[in-house]
Amino acid sequence: NESSFHIDNNIGGNNVANFLSITVKQYGDLKMGQWRQHGYKDWGLINNYIENGVMVVNETPHVQLGTGYKQIDILNNTSWRVSESVFVRLNNQFSTTTNIPRYDNLQEYKDGNLKWSEWSYGPQTRFMSSLDINTYTSNRFFNSHNITAAYQFIEEDRITRKYQSEEYNNTYIDVDVLSFNWDFTLDKLVYGLELTHNNVLSTATEGTQTRYPSGGSNLSSAALYSSYKKEVNRFFVWNAGLRYSRVIGDMVFRETDPVFVTDEIEFNNGALTGNVNLIYKPGNDWKFDWVASSGFRNPNIDDYGKVFVKKGNMVVPNPDLTPEYAYNGEMSITKKWNETKFTTNGYYTYLKDAIVKQDLGYSQIHEYEEVNVQTLMNSPEAYIYGWSFGTKSKLNSWLFNENSFTWQKGW
């Protein structure tokens, strides 16, 4: 069940307007349906929970006791028409919660008892402020351009305490994100640049491994991009795009960390990617679509530096991780017949240096438990291909029928 309170106000004049919204929500405990025709009588039932530090029997096992939490969201949007050709918008958002229980972990057992007395996400707090400036003036370089500058702060904590233990193993994460985008349009041409910077501060209670590098992490990116669309005639349309990306990062680890692999990870990677798309429409009933594209993903702070433990496995940092690349080809055919549309699609993707999780072949003791040690590694290559078929029919003015079939294989 849920209860909520909402209030908003919208006020404006000829050139300035402001919108304010406040929402408060109280989420109650989750309830599992009791109609169990699927045959799994115990599926989703919560037989035990923690009360006053002791495991007790749940008299209403379809109720997930302790899952409720509160949330508040505040939004303020101010718009200002500076002139006929300049429009400015300032957007501010704030949200926070009480502790949010991680209920799948709270239902993990060890030696016949629940493993955790407490496992919750601490207050999930987020603040964002963005400034958006649209300018509609023309010259030989652009018809219009848009600038967006933004700042975000994200706080995410994990509060954990094992069953009948007084020791907390908490991790605290604060993330600052800066971004800047400048987009231009010139007839059928769109181009622009993007800059981002992420700073991650990760701390923990004494003796607990931080989730991310304890000495701090920074990741910055810069990109130039463009796309162009051309209608050759009433039958053919093509478009193409290019993007060059550069990603730079630095992460520092302290030797006093319970899990220590390396003292620092640095990287500086870049790639040029693109796509080409051709559409052929011989008539209103047929459409043929071909796409060829390439992709590039640089490992982020989560990939490079996170120490993550779950269900007996611990993932540790890998300073030798490198970017992965994708090369894709795709074709689709669409046919419309009366009130029914048929679509089929085939695709093939080749992944170079694909990032995958692998066992390191040994185990170690972490927080008084033996865990299997894993890390993210680059696999030389991987392949994914597949095919899909779907239909959509209009049965009457208010009723539609959709069906789909998908087959996929990868290795």
Side-chain angles (χ1 to χ4, degrees), residues 126-160:
R126 184 184 75 93
F127 170 76
M128 187 193 79
S129 182
S130 67
L131 178 66
D132 193 66
I133 304 174
N134 288 278
T135 305
Y136 303 95
T137 55
S138 296
N139 56 39
R140 65 177 184 173
F141 299 108
F142 55 82
N143 303 128
S144 65
H145 63 98
N146 169 253
I147 294 176
T148 302
Y151 167 75
Q152 287 192 73
F153 170 77
I154 303 166
E155 179 185 24
E156 183 180 89
D157 304 331
R158 288 166 173 79
I159 313 300
T160 60

PDB file of all heavy atoms in Angstrom, residues 126-160:
ATOM      1  N   ARG A 126      19.587  12.749  -3.933  1.00  0.00           N
ATOM      2  CA  ARG A 126      20.037  13.225  -5.242  1.00  0.00           C
ATOM      3  C   ARG A 126      19.641  14.683  -5.411  1.00  0.00           C
ATOM      4  O   ARG A 126      18.504  15.070  -5.122  1.00  0.00           O
ATOM      5  CB  ARG A 126      19.424  12.410  -6.376  1.00  0.00           C
ATOM      6  CG  ARG A 126      19.934  12.807  -7.767  1.00  0.00           C
ATOM      7  CD  ARG A 126      19.214  12.016  -8.845  1.00  0.00           C
ATOM      8  NE  ARG A 126      17.869  12.502  -9.049  1.00  0.00           N
ATOM      9  CZ  ARG A 126      17.519  13.421  -9.960  1.00  0.00           C
ATOM     10  NH1 ARG A 126      18.441  13.954 -10.746  1.00  0.00           N
ATOM     11  NH2 ARG A 126      16.268  13.796 -10.088  1.00  0.00           N
ATOM     12  N   PHE A 127      20.588  15.489  -5.883  1.00  0.00           N
ATOM     13  CA  PHE A 127      20.318  16.883  -6.228  1.00  0.00           C
ATOM     14  C   PHE A 127      20.841  17.130  -7.633  1.00  0.00           C
ATOM     15  O   PHE A 127      21.945  16.699  -7.982  1.00  0.00           O
ATOM     16  CB  PHE A 127      20.999  17.845  -5.251  1.00  0.00           C
ATOM     17  CG  PHE A 127      20.953  19.279  -5.712  1.00  0.00           C
ATOM     18  CD1 PHE A 127      19.784  20.013  -5.608  1.00  0.00           C
ATOM     19  CD2 PHE A 127      22.072  19.872  -6.282  1.00  0.00           C
ATOM     20  CE1 PHE A 127      19.733  21.329  -6.052  1.00  0.00           C
ATOM     21  CE2 PHE A 127      22.031  21.190  -6.722  1.00  0.00           C
ATOM     22  CZ  PHE A 127      20.856  21.916  -6.605  1.00  0.00           C
ATOM     23  N   MET A 128      20.046  17.820  -8.451  1.00  0.00           N
ATOM     24  CA  MET A 128      20.485  18.178  -9.799  1.00  0.00           C
ATOM     25  C   MET A 128      20.072  19.599 -10.114  1.00  0.00           C
ATOM     26  O   MET A 128      18.947  20.019  -9.790  1.00  0.00           O
ATOM     27  CB  MET A 128      19.886  17.248 -10.854  1.00  0.00           C
ATOM     28  CG  MET A 128      20.466  17.498 -12.253  1.00  0.00           C
ATOM     29  SD  MET A 128      19.574  16.718 -13.606  1.00  0.00           S
ATOM     30  CE  MET A 128      18.206  17.852 -13.794  1.00  0.00           C
ATOM     31  N   SER A 129      20.981  20.327 -10.746  1.00  0.00           N
ATOM     32  CA  SER A 129      20.680  21.665 -11.227  1.00  0.00           C
ATOM     33  C   SER A 129      21.221  21.787 -12.649  1.00  0.00           C
ATOM     34  O   SER A 129      22.391  21.448 -12.897  1.00  0.00           O
ATOM     35  CB  SER A 129      21.330  22.729 -10.334  1.00  0.00           C
ATOM     36  OG  SER A 129      20.992  24.028 -10.774  1.00  0.00           O
ATOM     37  N   SER A 130      20.367  22.211 -13.572  1.00  0.00           N
ATOM     38  CA  SER A 130      20.799  22.339 -14.958  1.00  0.00           C
ATOM     39  C   SER A 130      20.329  23.672 -15.531  1.00  0.00           C
ATOM     40  O   SER A 130      19.242  24.160 -15.203  1.00  0.00           O
ATOM     41  CB  SER A 130      20.262  21.186 -15.814  1.00  0.00           C
ATOM     42  OG  SER A 130      18.853  21.250 -15.931  1.00  0.00           O
ATOM     43  N   LEU A 131      21.167  24.235 -16.371  1.00  0.00           N
ATOM     44  CA  LEU A 131      20.862  25.483 -17.073  1.00  0.00           C
ATOM     45  C   LEU A 131      20.846  25.188 -18.557  1.00  0.00           C
ATOM     46  O   LEU A 131      21.824  24.679 -19.113  1.00  0.00           O
ATOM     47  CB  LEU A 131      21.909  26.545 -16.744  1.00  0.00           C
ATOM     48  CG  LEU A 131      21.736  27.898 -17.454  1.00  0.00           C
ATOM     49  CD1 LEU A 131      20.459  28.587 -16.987  1.00  0.00           C
ATOM     50  CD2 LEU A 131      22.952  28.785 -17.220  1.00  0.00           C
ATOM     51  N   ASP A 132      19.722  25.516 -19.204  1.00  0.00           N
ATOM     52  CA  ASP A 132      19.528  25.216 -20.618  1.00  0.00           C
ATOM     53  C   ASP A 132      19.279  26.527 -21.364  1.00  0.00           C
ATOM     54  O   ASP A 132      18.352  27.276 -21.020  1.00  0.00           O
ATOM     55  CB  ASP A 132      18.341  24.268 -20.781  1.00  0.00           C
ATOM     56  CG  ASP A 132      18.261  23.675 -22.163  1.00  0.00           C
ATOM     57  OD1 ASP A 132      19.154  22.904 -22.518  1.00  0.00           O
ATOM     58  OD2 ASP A 132      17.289  24.003 -22.888  1.00  0.00           O
ATOM     59  N   ILE A 133      20.104  26.812 -22.389  1.00  0.00           N
ATOM     60  CA  ILE A 133      19.982  28.044 -23.162  1.00  0.00           C
ATOM     61  C   ILE A 133      19.787  27.678 -24.628  1.00  0.00           C
ATOM     62  O   ILE A 133      20.670  27.087 -25.259  1.00  0.00           O
ATOM     63  CB  ILE A 133      21.223  28.942 -23.001  1.00  0.00           C
ATOM     64  CG1 ILE A 133      21.482  29.247 -21.524  1.00  0.00           C
ATOM     65  CG2 ILE A 133      21.052  30.239 -23.790  1.00  0.00           C
ATOM     66  CD1 ILE A 133      22.772  30.012 -21.274  1.00  0.00           C
ATOM     67  N   ASN A 134      18.617  28.004 -25.177  1.00  0.00           N
ATOM     68  CA  ASN A 134      18.319  27.771 -26.586  1.00  0.00           C
ATOM     69  C   ASN A 134      18.392  29.095 -27.337  1.00  0.00           C
ATOM     70  O   ASN A 134      17.753  30.079 -26.938  1.00  0.00           O
ATOM     71  CB  ASN A 134      16.921  27.182 -26.751  1.00  0.00           C
ATOM     72  CG  ASN A 134      16.860  25.744 -26.288  1.00  0.00           C
ATOM     73  OD1 ASN A 134      17.220  24.835 -27.005  1.00  0.00           O
ATOM     74  ND2 ASN A 134      16.418  25.549 -25.052  1.00  0.00           N
ATOM     75  N   THR A 135      19.164  29.107 -28.423  1.00  0.00           N
ATOM     76  CA  THR A 135      19.325  30.312 -29.231  1.00  0.00           C
ATOM     77  C   THR A 135      18.918  30.014 -30.675  1.00  0.00           C
ATOM     78  O   THR A 135      19.457  29.091 -31.292  1.00  0.00           O
ATOM     79  CB  THR A 135      20.775  30.815 -29.188  1.00  0.00           C
ATOM     80  OG1 THR A 135      21.167  31.014 -27.821  1.00  0.00           O
ATOM     81  CG2 THR A 135      20.922  32.127 -29.949  1.00  0.00           C
ATOM     82  N   TYR A 136      17.975  30.790 -31.196  1.00  0.00           N
ATOM     83  CA  TYR A 136      17.454  30.560 -32.542  1.00  0.00           C
ATOM     84  C   TYR A 136      17.879  31.715 -33.450  1.00  0.00           C
ATOM     85  O   TYR A 136      17.078  32.551 -33.853  1.00  0.00           O
ATOM     86  CB  TYR A 136      15.935  30.428 -32.500  1.00  0.00           C
ATOM     87  CG  TYR A 136      15.463  29.336 -31.582  1.00  0.00           C
ATOM     88  CD1 TYR A 136      15.088  29.617 -30.273  1.00  0.00           C
ATOM     89  CD2 TYR A 136      15.409  28.014 -32.015  1.00  0.00           C
ATOM     90  CE1 TYR A 136      14.665  28.608 -29.420  1.00  0.00           C
ATOM     91  CE2 TYR A 136      14.994  26.997 -31.168  1.00  0.00           C
ATOM     92  CZ  TYR A 136      14.632  27.313 -29.873  1.00  0.00           C
ATOM     93  OH  TYR A 136      14.208  26.313 -29.027  1.00  0.00           O
ATOM     94  N   THR A 137      19.162  31.764 -33.727  1.00  0.00           N
ATOM     95  CA  THR A 137      19.705  32.735 -34.680  1.00  0.00           C
ATOM     96  C   THR A 137      20.501  31.976 -35.730  1.00  0.00           C
ATOM     97  O   THR A 137      21.133  30.954 -35.433  1.00  0.00           O
ATOM     98  CB  THR A 137      20.621  33.754 -33.974  1.00  0.00           C
ATOM     99  OG1 THR A 137      21.651  33.047 -33.262  1.00  0.00           O
ATOM    100  CG2 THR A 137      19.823  34.610 -33.002  1.00  0.00           C
ATOM    101  N   SER A 138      20.502  32.472 -36.955  1.00  0.00           N
ATOM    102  CA  SER A 138      21.125  31.757 -38.064  1.00  0.00           C
ATOM    103  C   SER A 138      22.354  32.484 -38.581  1.00  0.00           C
ATOM    104  O   SER A 138      22.419  33.713 -38.596  1.00  0.00           O
ATOM    105  CB  SER A 138      20.124  31.594 -39.220  1.00  0.00           C
ATOM    106  OG  SER A 138      19.029  30.805 -38.843  1.00  0.00           O
ATOM    107  N   ASN A 139      23.338  31.692 -38.987  1.00  0.00           N
ATOM    108  CA  ASN A 139      24.471  32.173 -39.770  1.00  0.00           C
ATOM    109  C   ASN A 139      24.931  31.011 -40.638  1.00  0.00           C
ATOM    110  O   ASN A 139      24.243  29.992 -40.732  1.00  0.00           O
ATOM    111  CB  ASN A 139      25.596  32.719 -38.871  1.00  0.00           C
ATOM    112  CG  ASN A 139      26.072  31.694 -37.848  1.00  0.00           C
ATOM    113  OD1 ASN A 139      26.179  30.510 -38.148  1.00  0.00           O
ATOM    114  ND2 ASN A 139      26.343  32.166 -36.621  1.00  0.00           N
ATOM    115  N   ARG A 140      26.079  31.100 -41.245  1.00  0.00           N
ATOM    116  CA  ARG A 140      26.490  30.031 -42.164  1.00  0.00           C
ATOM    117  C   ARG A 140      26.942  28.768 -41.449  1.00  0.00           C
ATOM    118  O   ARG A 140      27.127  27.730 -42.072  1.00  0.00           O
ATOM    119  CB  ARG A 140      27.590  30.530 -43.081  1.00  0.00           C
ATOM    120  CG  ARG A 140      28.893  30.879 -42.395  1.00  0.00           C
ATOM    121  CD  ARG A 140      29.910  31.293 -43.442  1.00  0.00           C
ATOM    122  NE  ARG A 140      31.207  31.546 -42.856  1.00  0.00           N
ATOM    123  CZ  ARG A 140      32.303  31.794 -43.592  1.00  0.00           C
ATOM    124  NH1 ARG A 140      32.213  31.814 -44.904  1.00  0.00           N
ATOM    125  NH2 ARG A 140      33.463  32.007 -42.986  1.00  0.00           N
ATOM    126  N   PHE A 141      27.125  28.843 -40.102  1.00  0.00           N
ATOM    127  CA  PHE A 141      27.566  27.675 -39.356  1.00  0.00           C
ATOM    128  C   PHE A 141      26.416  26.931 -38.676  1.00  0.00           C
ATOM    129  O   PHE A 141      26.526  25.746 -38.399  1.00  0.00           O
ATOM    130  CB  PHE A 141      28.593  28.086 -38.297  1.00  0.00           C
ATOM    131  CG  PHE A 141      29.830  28.704 -38.867  1.00  0.00           C
ATOM    132  CD1 PHE A 141      30.063  30.062 -38.731  1.00  0.00           C
ATOM    133  CD2 PHE A 141      30.757  27.928 -39.557  1.00  0.00           C
ATOM    134  CE1 PHE A 141      31.204  30.635 -39.251  1.00  0.00           C
ATOM    135  CE2 PHE A 141      31.905  28.499 -40.084  1.00  0.00           C
ATOM    136  CZ  PHE A 141      32.132  29.860 -39.946  1.00  0.00           C
ATOM    137  N   PHE A 142      25.329  27.576 -38.358  1.00  0.00           N
ATOM    138  CA  PHE A 142      24.200  26.911 -37.695  1.00  0.00           C
ATOM    139  C   PHE A 142      22.927  27.733 -37.867  1.00  0.00           C
ATOM    140  O   PHE A 142      22.968  28.954 -38.081  1.00  0.00           O
ATOM    141  CB  PHE A 142      24.491  26.685 -36.207  1.00  0.00           C
ATOM    142  CG  PHE A 142      24.874  27.925 -35.445  1.00  0.00           C
ATOM    143  CD1 PHE A 142      23.904  28.802 -34.965  1.00  0.00           C
ATOM    144  CD2 PHE A 142      26.212  28.225 -35.204  1.00  0.00           C
ATOM    145  CE1 PHE A 142      24.262  29.939 -34.259  1.00  0.00           C
ATOM    146  CE2 PHE A 142      26.578  29.365 -34.501  1.00  0.00           C
ATOM    147  CZ  PHE A 142      25.591  30.228 -34.030  1.00  0.00           C
ATOM    148  N   ASN A 143      21.783  27.015 -37.763  1.00  0.00           N
ATOM    149  CA  ASN A 143      20.474  27.662 -37.731  1.00  0.00           C
ATOM    150  C   ASN A 143      20.037  27.958 -36.304  1.00  0.00           C
ATOM    151  O   ASN A 143      19.303  28.913 -36.052  1.00  0.00           O
ATOM    152  CB  ASN A 143      19.418  26.785 -38.409  1.00  0.00           C
ATOM    153  CG  ASN A 143      19.775  26.438 -39.840  1.00  0.00           C
ATOM    154  OD1 ASN A 143      19.771  25.289 -40.221  1.00  0.00           O
ATOM    155  ND2 ASN A 143      20.116  27.450 -40.626  1.00  0.00           N
ATOM    156  N   SER A 144      20.476  27.087 -35.383  1.00  0.00           N
ATOM    157  CA  SER A 144      20.177  27.258 -33.961  1.00  0.00           C
ATOM    158  C   SER A 144      21.207  26.481 -33.165  1.00  0.00           C
ATOM    159  O   SER A 144      21.882  25.583 -33.697  1.00  0.00           O
ATOM    160  CB  SER A 144      18.767  26.775 -33.628  1.00  0.00           C
ATOM    161  OG  SER A 144      18.660  25.378 -33.827  1.00  0.00           O
ATOM    162  N   HIS A 145      21.327  26.817 -31.884  1.00  0.00           N
ATOM    163  CA  HIS A 145      22.223  26.041 -31.033  1.00  0.00           C
ATOM    164  C   HIS A 145      21.685  26.039 -29.605  1.00  0.00           C
ATOM    165  O   HIS A 145      20.895  26.909 -29.210  1.00  0.00           O
ATOM    166  CB  HIS A 145      23.664  26.569 -31.086  1.00  0.00           C
ATOM    167  CG  HIS A 145      23.854  27.961 -30.573  1.00  0.00           C
ATOM    168  ND1 HIS A 145      24.286  28.228 -29.297  1.00  0.00           N
ATOM    169  CD2 HIS A 145      23.673  29.166 -31.157  1.00  0.00           C
ATOM    170  CE1 HIS A 145      24.368  29.535 -29.122  1.00  0.00           C
ATOM    171  NE2 HIS A 145      23.997  30.136 -30.235  1.00  0.00           N
ATOM    172  N   ASN A 146      22.105  25.024 -28.871  1.00  0.00           N
ATOM    173  CA  ASN A 146      21.600  24.802 -27.518  1.00  0.00           C
ATOM    174  C   ASN A 146      22.765  24.478 -26.587  1.00  0.00           C
ATOM    175  O   ASN A 146      23.612  23.629 -26.898  1.00  0.00           O
ATOM    176  CB  ASN A 146      20.579  23.666 -27.517  1.00  0.00           C
ATOM    177  CG  ASN A 146      20.218  23.202 -26.129  1.00  0.00           C
ATOM    178  OD1 ASN A 146      20.616  22.124 -25.701  1.00  0.00           O
ATOM    179  ND2 ASN A 146      19.492  24.022 -25.388  1.00  0.00           N
ATOM    180  N   ILE A 147      22.821  25.138 -25.432  1.00  0.00           N
ATOM    181  CA  ILE A 147      23.843  24.883 -24.407  1.00  0.00           C
ATOM    182  C   ILE A 147      23.149  24.336 -23.167  1.00  0.00           C
ATOM    183  O   ILE A 147      22.160  24.912 -22.699  1.00  0.00           O
ATOM    184  CB  ILE A 147      24.614  26.161 -24.051  1.00  0.00           C
ATOM    185  CG1 ILE A 147      25.444  26.640 -25.240  1.00  0.00           C
ATOM    186  CG2 ILE A 147      25.524  25.922 -22.841  1.00  0.00           C
ATOM    187  CD1 ILE A 147      26.151  27.962 -24.992  1.00  0.00           C
ATOM    188  N   THR A 148      23.656  23.227 -22.647  1.00  0.00           N
ATOM    189  CA  THR A 148      23.150  22.653 -21.399  1.00  0.00           C
ATOM    190  C   THR A 148      24.319  22.392 -20.463  1.00  0.00           C
ATOM    191  O   THR A 148      25.232  21.631 -20.796  1.00  0.00           O
ATOM    192  CB  THR A 148      22.384  21.343 -21.642  1.00  0.00           C
ATOM    193  OG1 THR A 148      21.301  21.580 -22.546  1.00  0.00           O
ATOM    194  CG2 THR A 148      21.825  20.796 -20.330  1.00  0.00           C
ATOM    195  N   ALA A 149      24.298  23.037 -19.307  1.00  0.00           N
ATOM    196  CA  ALA A 149      25.305  22.814 -18.270  1.00  0.00           C
ATOM    197  C   ALA A 149      24.587  22.274 -17.037  1.00  0.00           C
ATOM    198  O   ALA A 149      23.541  22.793 -16.647  1.00  0.00           O
ATOM    199  CB  ALA A 149      26.040  24.108 -17.941  1.00  0.00           C
ATOM    200  N   ALA A 150      25.144  21.221 -16.431  1.00  0.00           N
ATOM    201  CA  ALA A 150      24.437  20.577 -15.319  1.00  0.00           C
ATOM    202  C   ALA A 150      25.410  20.123 -14.243  1.00  0.00           C
ATOM    203  O   ALA A 150      26.588  19.841 -14.504  1.00  0.00           O
ATOM    204  CB  ALA A 150      23.624  19.388 -15.830  1.00  0.00           C
ATOM    205  N   TYR A 151      24.875  20.056 -13.026  1.00  0.00           N
ATOM    206  CA  TYR A 151      25.608  19.510 -11.878  1.00  0.00           C
ATOM    207  C   TYR A 151      24.669  18.564 -11.131  1.00  0.00           C
ATOM    208  O   TYR A 151      23.490  18.864 -10.926  1.00  0.00           O
ATOM    209  CB  TYR A 151      26.067  20.613 -10.929  1.00  0.00           C
ATOM    210  CG  TYR A 151      26.539  20.081  -9.586  1.00  0.00           C
ATOM    211  CD1 TYR A 151      27.774  19.456  -9.464  1.00  0.00           C
ATOM    212  CD2 TYR A 151      25.727  20.163  -8.460  1.00  0.00           C
ATOM    213  CE1 TYR A 151      28.205  18.938  -8.250  1.00  0.00           C
ATOM    214  CE2 TYR A 151      26.150  19.660  -7.232  1.00  0.00           C
ATOM    215  CZ  TYR A 151      27.384  19.042  -7.138  1.00  0.00           C
ATOM    216  OH  TYR A 151      27.797  18.521  -5.942  1.00  0.00           O
ATOM    217  N   GLN A 152      25.219  17.402 -10.731  1.00  0.00           N
ATOM    218  CA  GLN A 152      24.456  16.446  -9.926  1.00  0.00           C
ATOM    219  C   GLN A 152      25.279  16.009  -8.723  1.00  0.00           C
ATOM    220  O   GLN A 152      26.503  15.837  -8.824  1.00  0.00           O
ATOM    221  CB  GLN A 152      24.090  15.205 -10.747  1.00  0.00           C
ATOM    222  CG  GLN A 152      23.019  15.403 -11.768  1.00  0.00           C
ATOM    223  CD  GLN A 152      22.529  14.074 -12.319  1.00  0.00           C
ATOM    224  OE1 GLN A 152      21.827  13.317 -11.653  1.00  0.00           O
ATOM    225  NE2 GLN A 152      22.908  13.774 -13.549  1.00  0.00           N
ATOM    226  N   PHE A 153      24.582  15.826  -7.619  1.00  0.00           N
ATOM    227  CA  PHE A 153      25.181  15.204  -6.430  1.00  0.00           C
ATOM    228  C   PHE A 153      24.340  13.995  -6.065  1.00  0.00           C
ATOM    229  O   PHE A 153      23.104  14.082  -5.968  1.00  0.00           O
ATOM    230  CB  PHE A 153      25.219  16.171  -5.250  1.00  0.00           C
ATOM    231  CG  PHE A 153      25.613  15.500  -3.958  1.00  0.00           C
ATOM    232  CD1 PHE A 153      26.933  15.172  -3.711  1.00  0.00           C
ATOM    233  CD2 PHE A 153      24.646  15.158  -3.014  1.00  0.00           C
ATOM    234  CE1 PHE A 153      27.295  14.528  -2.531  1.00  0.00           C
ATOM    235  CE2 PHE A 153      25.001  14.518  -1.836  1.00  0.00           C
ATOM    236  CZ  PHE A 153      26.328  14.211  -1.596  1.00  0.00           C
ATOM    237  N   ILE A 154      24.990  12.855  -5.888  1.00  0.00           N
ATOM    238  CA  ILE A 154      24.293  11.609  -5.574  1.00  0.00           C
ATOM    239  C   ILE A 154      24.947  10.985  -4.351  1.00  0.00           C
ATOM    240  O   ILE A 154      26.175  10.810  -4.310  1.00  0.00           O
ATOM    241  CB  ILE A 154      24.347  10.618  -6.755  1.00  0.00           C
ATOM    242  CG1 ILE A 154      23.762  11.266  -8.014  1.00  0.00           C
ATOM    243  CG2 ILE A 154      23.603   9.328  -6.417  1.00  0.00           C
ATOM    244  CD1 ILE A 154      24.072  10.526  -9.287  1.00  0.00           C
ATOM    245  N   GLU A 155      24.138  10.659  -3.359  1.00  0.00           N
ATOM    246  CA  GLU A 155      24.627   9.990  -2.150  1.00  0.00           C
ATOM    247  C   GLU A 155      23.980   8.621  -2.054  1.00  0.00           C
ATOM    248  O   GLU A 155      22.750   8.505  -2.123  1.00  0.00           O
ATOM    249  CB  GLU A 155      24.289  10.810  -0.908  1.00  0.00           C
ATOM    250  CG  GLU A 155      24.764  10.154   0.388  1.00  0.00           C
ATOM    251  CD  GLU A 155      24.327  10.915   1.628  1.00  0.00           C
ATOM    252  OE1 GLU A 155      23.319  11.645   1.540  1.00  0.00           O
ATOM    253  OE2 GLU A 155      24.972  10.769   2.665  1.00  0.00           O
ATOM    254  N   GLU A 156      24.814   7.586  -1.887  1.00  0.00           N
ATOM    255  CA  GLU A 156      24.287   6.227  -1.778  1.00  0.00           C
ATOM    256  C   GLU A 156      25.098   5.474  -0.731  1.00  0.00           C
ATOM    257  O   GLU A 156      26.300   5.235  -0.908  1.00  0.00           O
ATOM    258  CB  GLU A 156      24.359   5.499  -3.125  1.00  0.00           C
ATOM    259  CG  GLU A 156      23.749   4.111  -3.088  1.00  0.00           C
ATOM    260  CD  GLU A 156      23.833   3.412  -4.428  1.00  0.00           C
ATOM    261  OE1 GLU A 156      24.847   2.733  -4.670  1.00  0.00           O
ATOM    262  OE2 GLU A 156      22.890   3.556  -5.223  1.00  0.00           O
ATOM    263  N   ASP A 157      24.441   5.102   0.357  1.00  0.00           N
ATOM    264  CA  ASP A 157      25.103   4.370   1.441  1.00  0.00           C
ATOM    265  C   ASP A 157      24.520   2.959   1.545  1.00  0.00           C
ATOM    266  O   ASP A 157      23.371   2.713   1.163  1.00  0.00           O
ATOM    267  CB  ASP A 157      24.903   5.092   2.777  1.00  0.00           C
ATOM    268  CG  ASP A 157      25.379   6.535   2.730  1.00  0.00           C
ATOM    269  OD1 ASP A 157      26.306   6.817   1.946  1.00  0.00           O
ATOM    270  OD2 ASP A 157      24.814   7.369   3.457  1.00  0.00           O
ATOM    271  N   ARG A 158      25.325   2.058   2.067  1.00  0.00           N
ATOM    272  CA  ARG A 158      24.878   0.690   2.322  1.00  0.00           C
ATOM    273  C   ARG A 158      25.117   0.374   3.795  1.00  0.00           C
ATOM    274  O   ARG A 158      26.262   0.411   4.253  1.00  0.00           O
ATOM    275  CB  ARG A 158      25.614  -0.301   1.412  1.00  0.00           C
ATOM    276  CG  ARG A 158      25.169  -0.233  -0.037  1.00  0.00           C
ATOM    277  CD  ARG A 158      26.128  -0.951  -0.965  1.00  0.00           C
ATOM    278  NE  ARG A 158      25.603  -1.012  -2.324  1.00  0.00           N
ATOM    279  CZ  ARG A 158      25.652   0.006  -3.192  1.00  0.00           C
ATOM    280  NH1 ARG A 158      26.232   1.146  -2.834  1.00  0.00           N
ATOM    281  NH2 ARG A 158      25.145  -0.123  -4.405  1.00  0.00           N
ATOM    282  N   ILE A 159      24.038   0.067   4.512  1.00  0.00           N
ATOM    283  CA  ILE A 159      24.092  -0.182   5.955  1.00  0.00           C
ATOM    284  C   ILE A 159      23.925  -1.677   6.183  1.00  0.00           C
ATOM    285  O   ILE A 159      22.869  -2.250   5.876  1.00  0.00           O
ATOM    286  CB  ILE A 159      22.966   0.583   6.689  1.00  0.00           C
ATOM    287  CG1 ILE A 159      22.902   2.045   6.217  1.00  0.00           C
ATOM    288  CG2 ILE A 159      23.146   0.491   8.193  1.00  0.00           C
ATOM    289  CD1 ILE A 159      24.168   2.829   6.443  1.00  0.00           C
ATOM    290  N   THR A 160      24.950  -2.342   6.713  1.00  0.00           N
ATOM    291  CA  THR A 160      24.891  -3.792   6.882  1.00  0.00           C
ATOM    292  C   THR A 160      25.391  -4.203   8.262  1.00  0.00           C
ATOM    293  O   THR A 160      26.361  -3.638   8.778  1.00  0.00           O
ATOM    294  CB  THR A 160      25.732  -4.520   5.803  1.00  0.00           C
ATOM    295  OG1 THR A 160      27.093  -4.116   5.912  1.00  0.00           O
ATOM    296  CG2 THR A 160      25.230  -4.194   4.411  1.00  0.00           C
TER     297      THR A 160
END
